[in-house]
Amino acid sequence: MPVKRRTKLKTRMILTLGLVSALQAAFIGVFAGYYLSESLYNEIGQRALMVAKTVAASPAVIRGIQERDIDALNALTRKMATTNEALFIVIGDHDAIRLAHPVSERIGHSMADDDGDDGHLALVEGKGYVARALGNLGESMRGKAPVFEPDSGDIIGVVSVGYSVSQVDTTVQRYSFVLYGVLGVVLLVSILAAVVIASRFKRAIFGLEPEEIAGLFQERDATLQSVREGIIAINRDGIITTVNRAALTTLGLNTDIPVAGRPILEVLPESDLMSVLSSGIPDFDREVWLRNRQMVVNRLPMRQGDDIIGVVASFRLRNELDQVSQQLTRIQQYADTLRSQTHEYSNKLHTIAGLVQLGAYNDALKLIGSEVSSHQTLIHLLLEAVPDPIIAGCLLGKHNRAREMGLQLEIDPDSQMADLPDNLPREQLVSVLGNLIDNALEATRRHTGANGRVQLSMTDLGQELIFEVEDQGPGIAPEVQDRIFEKGVTSKPGNEHGFGLHLVRQFLNTWGGSITVENLGHAGGSRFTLYLPKSFTGRSQP
C-alpha cells in the first residue's frame, strides 16, 4: 500500500501564516473600508447640516422667506450651492412648502413629496438634523435646519442642504484603492516573513518534519525506558526534565506519581546535581548514598556553547555492580588458586616421581604425608575459623601464592572470623584483605627473600572485626608513613603503584572503619591493623 505523502512543514507553515495574514488583511480592509465610508457619510452629513444652519441664519434668506421672494431665494440658493459644492439647497416656509428648489416645477409643492420627510424636527421642535434620503435629484446626505424670525424667535421656514452620495462613494473608492494597496504590500511582506520564519524554524529543528520529531521522541523515550540504569536530567533552574522508570525504581519512588517538572531538591534533597550545575565539573563513578541506598553515579553537565544548561545523571545500585564484581572476584580467586596449586603440585609430583625412581620409597611416602597433613590442617582451620567461603577461598589462594613465591603465609590458629554482618560486601572485604596480604608478601620477598613469613590474625570478638597483617619487609619510612594511603604514594620502586592502599582507605571511609600502620622495630617489618565496625555506619563520598 503506497504511503501517503504529507506536505512539508515549511510549506505548511508558509501556507498557514500566509492564510492568517490574508484573513487579517481582508478583515482589516473590510473594517477600514466600512469605517471610512461611515466616517465620510457622517462628515458629509455634518457638513450639510452646518451649511444648512449657515443658510438659515442668512438675513437675505430670512427676508426672502418673510417676503416670499421666490426669485431672490432661488438665485441666492443656486449661488450658495455652487459656493459650497452642494447638490442642492432647498428652502421651505413654515408649512414645508418649497420656496426655492433647483427644479422650478417643484416650487410650491410640499417638501415631503420628495423623501417623505415633512421637516417635523426642524419646523416643530426647532432642531437641526441629518438624514440620508433618495429624492428626485438622487440619493443624498441631507442636513436640515429651521429658520427663525430674528425678533420673535418664531420658526418661519426650513433649509435643506444635500450632498450627493455618489460624491461620498467616489471619495471612498479613492481612499479604498490606497488602503487596499497598502494592505497588499503588508500581505506580501507577511508572506515573505512567513518564508523567513519557516526557514529559520526548519533549521532550528535540524530540517526534521514533525512526524520525524515525534518518531525520534518516541524512540528516545523507548531508549530511556529500556536502559537498566537510572537516568535523571535537570535544567539550569534545577527542575527535573527527564527521568526514566529505572530511576524511579532504583530510588524507590512511586512510579505513579510524576516527578518531571519538580525541583530536584524536592524529590532528592541529598542530591549533588546542583553542585555539578554550578561548578560545571563532571563526576564519574562516584559512590554515593541516596535514599539509604548505595549507588554508583555519573554526573555530566550539559552545555550550549559556553553556558551550562543542565545536568544529566546516570546511576545504578552498587549491589548490582557488586554481584558482577563478586563473580569476577571468585573467578579470579579460583584461577589464582588453581594456577598456584597446579604449579606447586607439579613440582611436588616431579619430586615424588624422582624419589620413587631412586627407590626412596619411605622418603616419598613421608613427603606425601606431610603435604596432605599440611594442606588438610589449613583447610580445617579455615573451615572452623572462617565459615564464609568467599573469604576462606581468598585466604587459601593467598596461602598457595605465598608458597609459590617461596614464602609462608601463617594464619594464627586462634583466629576467628565467623560473625560477619550480612550487609558487609564480601567482594570489597576480599579486595582489602588481598591488597594488604599482597603488599606484605611483596615487601617480605624483596627484603627477606625465600622462607620469609607473613602472619595474619583475625578476630570478631566485641563490636569490631579486626585483621592484623605482619610482614618481614623493610618497614615504612617515616616520611611516607603519614601519607601511605594517599593515591599514588608508595614505598615500592616504580610509578605503577600507590593505588591498593588508596582503595583500602576508600572502602574504610564508606564503611566507617579505620586502619593503623606501625613498624615492628629493629627486626624490620610492619604491621597493618584493620578495624571494621559490625554495625553499618557508612556515608557517601563527599
Side-chain angles (χ1 to χ4, degrees), residues 78-91:
R78 284 193 295 269
K79 182 179 180 180
M80 288 184 174
T82 302
T83 302
N84 291 280
E85 299 180 350
L87 178 63
F88 62 82
I89 296 178
V90 177
I91 299 176

Side-chain angles (χ1 to χ4, degrees), residues 326-473:
Q326 180 177 344
Q327 294 176 357
L328 294 176
T329 300
R330 289 178 178 176
I331 293 173
Q332 183 65 41
Q333 290 172 359
Y334 295 152
D336 289 344
T337 301
L338 290 174
R339 181 175 58 82
S340 299
Q341 289 180 346
T342 299
H343 184 71
E344 180 182 0
Y345 285 113
S346 177
N347 293 331
K348 292 186 181 299
L349 285 174
H350 285 113
T351 302
I352 293 172
L355 291 174
V356 171
Q357 290 177 358
L358 295 174
Y361 302 114
N362 291 330
D363 293 332
L365 290 174
K366 184 177 179 181
L367 178 60
I368 293 172
S370 64
E371 180 61 27
V372 172
S373 175
S374 174
H375 203 70
Q376 288 297 324
T377 300
L378 174 62
I379 293 177
H380 180 74
L381 172 62
L382 292 177
L383 289 176
E384 290 291 333
V386 189
D388 189 278
I390 297 178
I391 299 177
C394 171
L395 296 180
L396 181 60
K398 297 301 179 184
H399 180 271
N400 291 330
R401 184 169 185 270
R403 295 181 63 178
E404 186 182 55
M405 297 170 64
L407 305 175
Q408 298 179 28
L409 174 59
E410 297 180 355
I411 300 177
D412 189 344
D414 294 327
S415 294
Q416 182 70 28
M417 190 54 61
D419 190 15
L420 291 172
D422 293 335
N423 59 342
L424 177 63
R426 301 297 195 270
E427 69 286 346
Q428 293 189 30
L429 179 57
V430 164
S431 177
V432 169
L433 283 177
N435 273 314
L436 294 179
I437 294 174
D438 286 341
N439 288 343
L441 291 174
E442 291 179 11
T444 300
R445 183 175 62 176
R446 289 197 314 270
H447 185 68
T448 305
N451 298 321
R453 291 183 299 119
V454 173
Q455 295 178 316
L456 169 67
S457 63
M458 304 172 288
T459 179
D460 57 3
L461 298 178
Q463 299 300 315
E464 292 181 314
L465 308 176
I466 302 175
F467 300 84
E468 286 188 357
V469 180
E470 293 184 6
D471 61 53
Q472 292 181 337

Side-chain angles (χ1 to χ4, degrees), residues 217 220-235 239-264 267-268 273 291 302 311-315:
F217 177 80
R220 168 248 192 198
D221 187 64
T223 303
L224 282 177
Q225 300 305 330
S226 66
V227 174
R228 294 187 61 185
E229 286 194 349
I231 297 176
I232 288 182
I234 62 172
N235 60 16
I239 304 299
I240 298 175
T241 56
T242 301
V243 59
N244 65 351
R245 182 174 292 272
L248 301 177
T249 304
T250 303
L251 294 170
L253 298 172
N254 190 339
T255 56
D256 296 328
I257 300 178
V259 299
R262 295 170 58 187
I264 183 65
V267 179
L268 297 172
L273 288 183
R291 296 176 62 85
M302 296 182 292
V311 178
V312 61
S314 63
F315 51 91

